[in-house]
C-alpha cells in the first residue's frame, strides 16, 4: 500500500515541529522562537495498518510568501496535494491564526485544524470551544498540548478518517482581504472566552525594560559562560589523559606489528593526535554550552535577547532578524549563516551572512579561554567576565561591519521587522538536553574530526619536511614573522591561524608545536607549562590581547565558508565573508600594537 501524505502547516512558533516529533518518534531540535524551521522535514508514522508520510513545513503567516522559508512552504502546498493538511494553530492567538487557516482551506477540504498550546491557553484563562469552531470552519478540530502528547491520539484518528474518506469535510471558503480578517474576528469572538486580563510578566519587564534589558542579558551570558568555564576543565583533563594512554597503546601495537616508525608517527602522532586534541578540547565545553543555550531557546529568552538588539541592527542599516543569526553564531557560524534564511530582504540577508563569522563560535572558545586563563584571569568567574567582554567586542564589530556594508556594498534602507515574542515555557530539560547533545554537539564534533584528520596530516608534513636543519613549519613561520609582529603577534601565531583554517580548535597546539620545533603536536601537562613556553617565546600581555582579538576577527573556518557559498551561490560574497573579518582584525591588531 502506498504511503499517504500528511502536511503540517501553520504560523511560526505554534509547535509544528513538536507535533512532527511526537507523530514520528523523531527528536528534531525545536526552539521557542521564530525561524527555527527554515526548510521541510519529512518522516513516517504507522497508524491502523496504514503508512503515513508526514512533512513539517516552515512557519508561514501567509501563502503570499515574503521570505525564503515562507516560499518553501508555499511551493510545497501548491505543487503537492496532501492526503490530509493539518493546520496547526496557537490556541492563545486564534484570531491572528485564522486568516492563514482560511487560505489553507482554500487549497483542500481534506484538512484538520489542530488547536495546539492548550496548556498555555489555560494558564492565560483562555477557553476555545473546539466543537463550535469545527462547525463554523467545516473541518475537524482537535485540541492538543503537543509537548506532552495530549490530544495527539485524537489527531491521529482524525487524520485516519480524513485520508480514508470516512469523513468528508466541507471547509469554509472565505475571500481574502478585509473580509478575511473580519471573518477571523467574528469566529474568534464566537468560540473564545477570556477569563483573565493579559498582563506583562515581571520577567518581561526586566528583559525588555529600557534600563534593565542589557544588564539582564549581560548577567545571563556571564552565568552561561561561567558555568561552561568552571565545569569543562575536569572532563577535558580526563579525556586528555585517556587519549594519552590510548595513543601510547596504539603506537606500541603498530610497532610490535612491524609498522614502520614513519607510518606510526604519521598516523598516531600526526593524524590521531590532532583528532584527540580537538575532541579533548572541544567536547566538554560544547557538551555544556550547547544544552544550556538550547534551554534558553526553549524557555523563550533567546527571542527577547534578539528583540533587544533589533533597534541596534536597524540603526546599522541591517535587519533586526540578524540578531537571531548572531545568537545562533555563538554555537556555530555555519548554523548562523544558514539561519539567515529567515531574513526576507536579499540585501539584509547577505549582510547577515557576510558578518556572521564576526561572532565567536564555540570552536574559538578554547583558544580564548586558554589565553584568558593564562594572561588575564585566574578564577573561572573572572575568566567568564573577560570572555563576555570579548563577545561584547565582537558584537560591536558586527554592528560596525554591518553599518559599513549597508552604506557601501549593500547600499539601501533597512526593512522594518515585526518580531513575535513567544510566551515563556518551562523547558523540557531531559529532551532538550539529549537532542542538543545529539544534533549540536555530535554534529559539530564530527565536522571538526573530519577536517582535523587531513589537517593533522598537513601539520605533520610541515613539521617533518626539513630544509637543512630547519622544518618547513619554522621556515614559513619565519617568512610570516614580519607581518605577525606588525599585528602584535609573530609569524608562528599567524601560521597557526592559517593551518587552523579547517578547525579553529587546533590553532594553539599548532603554535606550540612550532615553538618547540617538534615533529608532532605537543602535549601539555597543565596550563602553567603552556604559559611558560609562550613567555619563553616572547609572549606578553600585548601578544595575548592581539591573539584574542585576531581570534575574534579573522577568516571563517572551512565549514562556514562552504556554507556561505552554498547559501549565496557566489564566489564574490564568499570572498567578502573572508575579507570583512580579516580586515577588521588586521586594523584592530595594528592599532593595539601601536598604542600598547
Amino acid at each position: 500500500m502506498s504511503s499517504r501524505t500528511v502536511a503540517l502547516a501553520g504560523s511560526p512558533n505554534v509547535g509544528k515541529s513538536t507535533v512532527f516529533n511526537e507523530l514520528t518518534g523523531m527528536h528534531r531540535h525545536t526552539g521557542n522562537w521564530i525561524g527555527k524551521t527554515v526548510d521541510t522535514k519529512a518522516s513516517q508514522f504507522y497508524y491502523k495498518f496504514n503508512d503515513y508520510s508526514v512533512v513539517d513545513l516552515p512557519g508561514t503567516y501567509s501563502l503570499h510568501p515574503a521570505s525564503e522559508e515562507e516560499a518553501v512552504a508555499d511551493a510545497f502546498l501548491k505543487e503537492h496535494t496532501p492526503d490530509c493538511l493539518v493546520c496547526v494553530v496557537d490556541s492563545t492567538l486564534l484570531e491572528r491564526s485564522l486568516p492563514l487557516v482560511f487560505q489553507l482551506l482554500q487549497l483542500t477540504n481534506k484538512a484538520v485544524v489542530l488547536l495546539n498550546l492548550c496548556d498555555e491557553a489555560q494558564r492565560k484563562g483562555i477557553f476555545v470551544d473546539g466543537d463550535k469552531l469545527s462547525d463554523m470552519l467545516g473541518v475537524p478540530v482537535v485540541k492538543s498540548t503537543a509537548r506532552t502528547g495530549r490530544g495527539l491520539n485524537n489527531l491521529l484518528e482524525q487524520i485516519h478518517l480524513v485520508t480514508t474518506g470516512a469523513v468528508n469535510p466541507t471547509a469554509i471558503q472565505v475571500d481574502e482581504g478585509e473580509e478575511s480578517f473580519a471573518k477571523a474576528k467574528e469566529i474568534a469572538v464566537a468560540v473564545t472566552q477570556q477569563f483573565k486580563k493579559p498582563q506583562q510578566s515581571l520577567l518581561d519587564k526586566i528583559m525588555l525594560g529600557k534600563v534593565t534589558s542589557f544588564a539582564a542579558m549581560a548577567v545571563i551570558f556571564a552565568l552561561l559562560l561561567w558555568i561552561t568555564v568552571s565545569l569543562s576543565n575536569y572532563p577535558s583533563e580526563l579525556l586528555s589523559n585517556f587519549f594519552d594512554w590510548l595513543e601510547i597503546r596504539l603506537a606500541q601495537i603498530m610497532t610490535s606489528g612491524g609498522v614502520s616508525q614513519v607510518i606510526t608517527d604519521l598516523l598516531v602522532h600526526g593524524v590521531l593526535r590532532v583528532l584527540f586534541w580537538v575532541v579533548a578540547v572541544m567536547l566538554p565545553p560544547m557538551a555544556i554550552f550547547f544544552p544550556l543555550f538550547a534551554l534558553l531557546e526553549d524557555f523563550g529568552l533567546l527571542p527577547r535577547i534578539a528583540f533587544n538588539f533589533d533597534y541596534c541592527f536597524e540603526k546599522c542599516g541591517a535587519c533586526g532578524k540578524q540578531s537571531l543569526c548572531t545568537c545562533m553564531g555563538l554555537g556555530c557560524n555555519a548554523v548562523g549563516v544558514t539561519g539567515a534564511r529567515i531574513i526576507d530582504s536579499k540585501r539584509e540577508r547577505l549582510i547577515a551572512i557576510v558578518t556572521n563569522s564576526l561572532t565567536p563560535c564555540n570552536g574559538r572558545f578554547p583558544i580564548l579561554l586558554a589565553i584568558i586563563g593564562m594572561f588575564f584571569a585566574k578564577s573561572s568567574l573572572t575568566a567568564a567576565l573577560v570572555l563576555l567582554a570579548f563577545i561584547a567586542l565582537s558584537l560591536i564589530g558586527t554592528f560596525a561591519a554591518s553599518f559599513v556594508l549597508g552604506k557601501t556594498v549593500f547600499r539601501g534602507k533597512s526593512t522594518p521587522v515585526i518580531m513575535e515574542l513567544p510566551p515563556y515555557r518551562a523547558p523540557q530539560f531531559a529532551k532538550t538536553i539529549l537532542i542538543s547533545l545529539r544534533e549540536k554537539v555530535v554534529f559539530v564534533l564530527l565536522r571538526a574530526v573530519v577536517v582535523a584528520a587531513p589537517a593533522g596530516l598537513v601539520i605533520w608534513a610541515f613539521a617533518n619536511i626539513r630544509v637543512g636543519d630547519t622544518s618547513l613549519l619554522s621556515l614559513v613561520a619565519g617568512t610570516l614573522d614580519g607581518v605577525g609582529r606588525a599585528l602584535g603577534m609573530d609569524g608562528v601565531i599567524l601560521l597557526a591561524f592559517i593551518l587552523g583554517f579547517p578547525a579553529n580548535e587546533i590553532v594553539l597546539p599548532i603554535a606550540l608545536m612550532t615553538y618547540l620545533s617538534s615533529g608532532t603536536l605537543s602535549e601539555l601537562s597543565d596550563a602553567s607549562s603552556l604559559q611558560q613556553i609562550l613567555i619563553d617565546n616572547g609572549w606578553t600581555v600585548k601578544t595575548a590581547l592581539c591573539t584574542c582579538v585576531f581570534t575574534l576577527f579573522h577568516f571563517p573556518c572551512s565549514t562556514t565558508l562552504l556554507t556561505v557559498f552554498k547559501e549565496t551561490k557566489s564566489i564574490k560574497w564568499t570572498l567578502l565573508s573572508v575579507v570583512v573579518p580579516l580586515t577588521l582584525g588586521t586594523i584592530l591588531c595594528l592599532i593595539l600594537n601601536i598604542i600598547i
Side-chain angles (χ1 to χ4, degrees), residues 4 21 61 91-92 98 127 243 265 268 282 414 574:
R4 294 182 169 94
N21 286 343
Y61 291 106
S91 297
T92 68
L98 284 176
F127 172 76
F243 287 141
D265 286 341
V268 178
M282 280 188 65
S414 60
T574 304

Side-chain angles (χ1 to χ4, degrees), residues 257-278:
V259 179
S260 70
Q261 189 62 44
V262 174
I263 299 298
T264 301
D265 286 341
L266 171 63
L267 295 180
V268 178
H269 304 308
V271 175
L272 284 181
R273 181 169 290 183
V274 173
L275 291 178
F276 291 161
W277 180 289
V278 169

Side-chain angles (χ1 to χ4, degrees), residues 95-313:
E95 181 180 341
R96 193 169 70 186
S97 302
L98 284 176
L100 175 61
V101 173
F102 297 153
Q103 291 181 348
L104 293 171
L105 294 182
Q106 287 182 353
L107 300 176
T108 178
N109 286 327
K110 293 185 175 183
V112 176
V113 172
L114 183 66
L115 281 173
N116 196 28
L117 307 175
C118 286
D119 56 337
E120 293 182 9
Q122 184 177 3
R123 284 197 299 270
K124 294 181 177 181
I126 299 173
F127 172 76
V128 180
D129 188 331
D131 293 333
K132 189 173 182 179
L133 180 61
S134 178
D135 292 337
M136 298 185 76
L137 293 179
V139 296
V141 172
V142 177
K143 301 179 74 171
S144 76
T145 302
R147 58 195 280 119
T148 63
R150 176 186 166 195
L152 293 187
N153 285 334
N154 189 15
L155 174 63
L156 286 170
E157 181 63 21
Q158 293 301 323
I159 291 173
H160 174 71
L161 294 175
V162 169
T163 56
T164 57
V167 170
N168 293 300
T170 54
I172 186 175
Q173 296 296 307
V174 179
D175 293 333
E176 296 187 37
E178 291 299 321
E179 183 181 347
S180 176
F181 292 102
K183 193 65 176 178
K185 184 175 183 180
E186 175 190 333
I187 294 177
V189 170
V191 303
T192 305
Q193 290 178 286
Q194 178 85 49
F195 297 104
K196 293 180 182 178
K197 185 178 180 180
Q199 291 182 339
Q200 187 183 35
S201 67
L202 175 61
L203 187 54
D204 259 350
K205 291 179 180 179
I206 296 173
M207 289 301 303
L208 304 178
K210 291 183 179 180
V211 178
T212 58
S213 58
F214 284 92
M217 289 189 298
V219 170
I220 290 171
F221 271 100
L223 286 173
L224 179 67
L225 296 173
W226 173 68
I227 294 171
T228 302
V229 171
S230 58
L231 296 184
S232 61
N233 291 330
Y234 183 66
S236 283
E237 184 179 351
L238 286 178
L239 282 172
S240 181
N241 292 335
F242 169 72
F243 287 141
D244 287 347
W245 172 84
L246 182 60
E247 184 180 319
I248 293 172
R249 291 293 300 148
L250 288 173
Q252 290 174 344
I253 292 172
M254 293 182 70
T255 301
S256 62
V259 179
S260 70
Q261 189 62 44
V262 174
I263 299 298
T264 301
D265 286 341
L266 171 63
L267 295 180
V268 178
H269 304 308
V271 175
L272 284 181
R273 181 169 290 183
V274 173
L275 291 178
F276 291 161
W277 180 289
V278 169
V279 173
V281 171
M282 280 188 65
L283 183 57
M286 281 199 311
I288 297 168
F289 180 84
F290 277 140
L292 289 176
F293 199 72
L295 289 173
L296 289 182
E297 292 183 47
D298 208 18
F299 182 57
L301 281 177
L302 184 61
R304 284 159 174 83
I305 291 173
F307 174 81
N308 289 330
F309 286 120
D310 172 68
Y311 177 79
C312 302
F313 278 103

Side-chain angles (χ1 to χ4, degrees), residues 379-398:
S379 70
S380 57
L381 179 58
T382 307
L385 293 175
V386 175
L387 181 57
L388 181 63
F390 279 121
I391 293 176
L393 176 61
S394 75
L395 190 60
I396 295 172
T398 301

Side-chain angles (χ1 to χ4, degrees), residues 422 444 497:
V444 176
F497 276 109

Side-chain angles (χ1 to χ4, degrees), residues 23 168 582:
L23 291 179
N168 293 300
L582 190 58

